[in-house]
């Protein structure tokens, strides 16, 4: 017990100091050093991580995820083998990740992975972290695509603003009848991540990645248009979670003052460029306060279109499906 308490105290002080920005040389000089002769066990490392992360919403879960990532084991193994000793390299790596998490950096960026629709996706700060709400968008799009395939109509599908490639990868994996689909993004950095995820899940030959602004790179009209474009307004910046504001790419978050700039352009360009086939369906993820302005825009662009809204897990409008005549 004395050993554990001494090690925990030394480790936590060092980790807290590392989690502070702008640490001075004086602070570093005053910070106690971890005894290099003592090897941490998995149990000790986990408890130390929890103590450092008490400023986070889920300190124990975060520490478990990071420690299992460093040790390359599943989370239950942390409790099955609590006396497993960490190597010095593992301990230092864990401490560094805990320090970054204490500063608010998202777990997905620390591990480089995020589960989405049953798939393990690679993510980093070049792309937005896929959200659970976007799985609803995938479900909605899959239902439309499957109805078309079942009716003998193999649809041309495009995902606009693909980011990490989460949506087209999920669609290609879960609907093998799709021979190909388009996925576009204005960011070449984001497309590099999307390409990795396509390769990781063996759908690279079927997902045609295109760089360009909104619908500009599409080579042909489509039957199903999917988009999870930035829809947060600049006037909402202060109510965003601090870690989202600080770490996720603003290019993938914000769209003008009210969050509707890109959606307005998408609707107008789709009609102007004739990029929707007859009886096409548009599937969109939207902001929770955008129902009325989007209905007004739809009435202006496609007066005969039929709009359906779907709520997310918290009851807010999150999906808009538009059937275009």
């Amino acid at each position: 017990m004395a050993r554990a308490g001494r090690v925990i105290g030394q480790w936590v002080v060092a980790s807290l100091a590392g989690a502070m920005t702008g640490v001075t040389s004086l602070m570093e000089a005053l910070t106690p050093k971890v005894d290099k002769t003592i090897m941490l066990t998995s149990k000790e490392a986990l408890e130390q991580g929890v103590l450092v992360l008490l400023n986070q919403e889920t300190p124990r879960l975060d520490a478990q995820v990071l420690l299992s990532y460093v040790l390359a084991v599943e989370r239950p193994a942390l409790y099955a083998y609590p006396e497993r000793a960490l190597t010095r390299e593992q301990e230092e790596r864990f401490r560094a990740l805990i320090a970054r998490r204490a500063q608010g950096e998202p777990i997905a960026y620390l591990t480089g992975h995020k589960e989405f629709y049953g798939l393990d996706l690679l993510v980093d700060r070049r792309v937005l972290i896929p959200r659970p709400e976007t799985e609803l968008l995938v479900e909605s799009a899959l239902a439309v695509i499957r109805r078309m395939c079942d009716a003998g109509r193999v649809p041309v599908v495009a995902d606009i603003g693909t980011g990490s490639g989460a949506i087209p990868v999920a669609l290609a994996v879960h609907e093998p009848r799709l021979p190909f689909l388009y996925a576009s993004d204005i960011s070449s950095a984001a497309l590099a991540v999307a390409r990795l995820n396509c390769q990781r899940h063996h759908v690279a030959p079927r997902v045609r990645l295109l760089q360009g602004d909104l619908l500009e790179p599409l080579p042909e009209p489509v039957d199903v248009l999917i988009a999870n474009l930035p829809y947060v307004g600049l006037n909402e910046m202060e109510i965003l979670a601090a870690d989202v504001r600080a770490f996720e790419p603003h290019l993938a978050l914000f769209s003008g003052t009210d969050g509707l700039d890109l959606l307005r352009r998408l609707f107008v360009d789709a009609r102007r460029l004739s990029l929707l086939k007859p009886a096409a369906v548009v599937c969109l993820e939207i902001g929770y306060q955008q129902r009325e302005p989007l209905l007004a825009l739809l009435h202006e662009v496609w007066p005969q279109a039929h709009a359906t809204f779907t709520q997310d897990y918290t009851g807010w409008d999150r999906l808009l499906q538009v059937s275009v005549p």
Side-chain angles (χ1 to χ4, degrees):
M1 180 64 70
R3 170 192 181 277
R6 183 173 68 255
V7 173
I8 289 176
Q10 292 174 337
W11 194 91
V12 170
V13 170
S15 295
L16 284 172
M20 296 171 61
T21 58
V23 177
T24 64
S25 57
L26 176 61
M27 176 64 77
E28 292 171 350
L30 293 175
T31 299
K33 305 301 182 184
V34 176
D35 186 345
K36 298 297 185 181
T37 65
I38 301 176
M39 303 294 286
L40 276 183
T41 66
S42 176
K43 180 180 179 180
E44 290 168 344
L46 181 61
E47 294 308 316
Q48 293 167 11
V50 172
L51 286 176
V52 176
L53 296 180
L54 288 178
N55 65 323
Q56 301 300 316
E57 290 186 8
T58 54
R60 183 163 296 277
L61 176 61
D62 292 356
Q64 290 171 349
V65 171
L66 293 177
L67 184 57
S68 60
Y69 169 67
V70 167
L71 297 180
V73 299
E74 299 295 326
R75 279 167 48 203
L78 302 179
Y79 295 96
Y81 306 99
E83 300 307 315
R84 170 180 174 170
L86 276 66
T87 66
R88 191 64 59 208
E89 180 183 2
Q90 289 170 336
E91 179 185 338
E92 293 300 322
R93 190 177 174 204
F94 181 58
R95 281 185 57 198
L97 291 173
I98 288 290
R100 289 168 62 187
R101 180 61 187 144
Q103 291 180 306
E105 189 167 350
I107 290 286
Y109 289 159
L110 296 176
T111 63
H113 294 263
K114 180 66 176 179
E115 184 179 346
F116 178 82
Y117 214 75
L119 304 171
D120 179 38
L121 297 180
L122 302 176
V123 296
D124 58 32
R125 292 182 66 173
R126 291 175 289 180
V127 296
L128 200 69
I129 298 169
R131 269 44 175 195
E133 308 89 79
T134 307
E135 294 183 340
L136 298 175
L137 180 60
V138 170
E139 289 180 4
S140 175
L142 270 176
V144 172
I145 292 167
R146 284 169 176 164
R147 282 198 301 270
M148 291 183 179
C149 288
D150 290 345
R153 173 187 174 192
V154 180
V156 178
V157 178
D159 175 46
I160 309 301
T162 198
S164 65
I167 292 172
V169 169
L171 294 176
V173 168
H174 290 281
E175 185 41 83
R177 289 178 294 179
L178 273 181
F180 72 91
L181 64 160
Y182 298 110
S184 73
D185 204 289
I186 196 170
S187 167
S188 60
L191 286 174
V193 178
R195 185 169 293 105
L196 291 174
N197 282 315
C198 290
Q199 294 167 350
R200 182 178 182 83
H201 293 285
H202 313 291
V203 295
R206 295 167 55 214
V207 178
R208 300 179 182 179
L209 298 174
L210 308 169
Q211 185 179 358
D213 187 25
L214 294 179
L215 303 176
E216 178 186 276
L218 288 185
E220 62 177 314
V222 301
D223 298 286
V224 183
L225 183 66
I226 307 156
N228 179 19
L229 294 170
Y231 55 73
V232 179
L234 293 172
N235 57 8
E236 299 176 285
M237 183 179 292
E238 294 308 313
I239 66 174
L240 277 183
D243 58 342
V244 175
R245 276 201 319 271
F247 293 98
E248 300 202 51
H250 286 196
L251 181 66
L253 285 170
F254 299 106
S255 179
T257 302
D258 60 0
L260 289 168
D261 282 8
L262 290 174
L263 286 171
R264 288 191 187 98
R265 287 182 50 209
L266 182 78
F267 285 172
V268 172
D269 287 355
R271 179 167 183 174
R272 178 177 62 85
L273 300 173
S274 300
L275 283 171
L276 294 179
K277 291 185 177 183
V281 177
V282 180
C283 301
L284 304 173
E285 184 172 326
I286 63 171
Y288 69 101
Q289 293 180 320
Q290 295 175 344
R291 181 187 186 110
E292 295 307 318
L294 285 173
L295 281 175
L297 179 61
L298 276 175
H299 182 71
E300 179 183 338
V301 177
W302 291 306
Q304 305 304 315
H306 176 71
T308 304
F309 291 88
T310 303
Q311 286 69 48
D312 62 18
Y313 303 111
T314 60
W316 294 106
D317 287 330
R318 190 59 64 192
L319 303 183
L320 169 59
Q321 186 175 115
V322 182
S323 299
V324 181

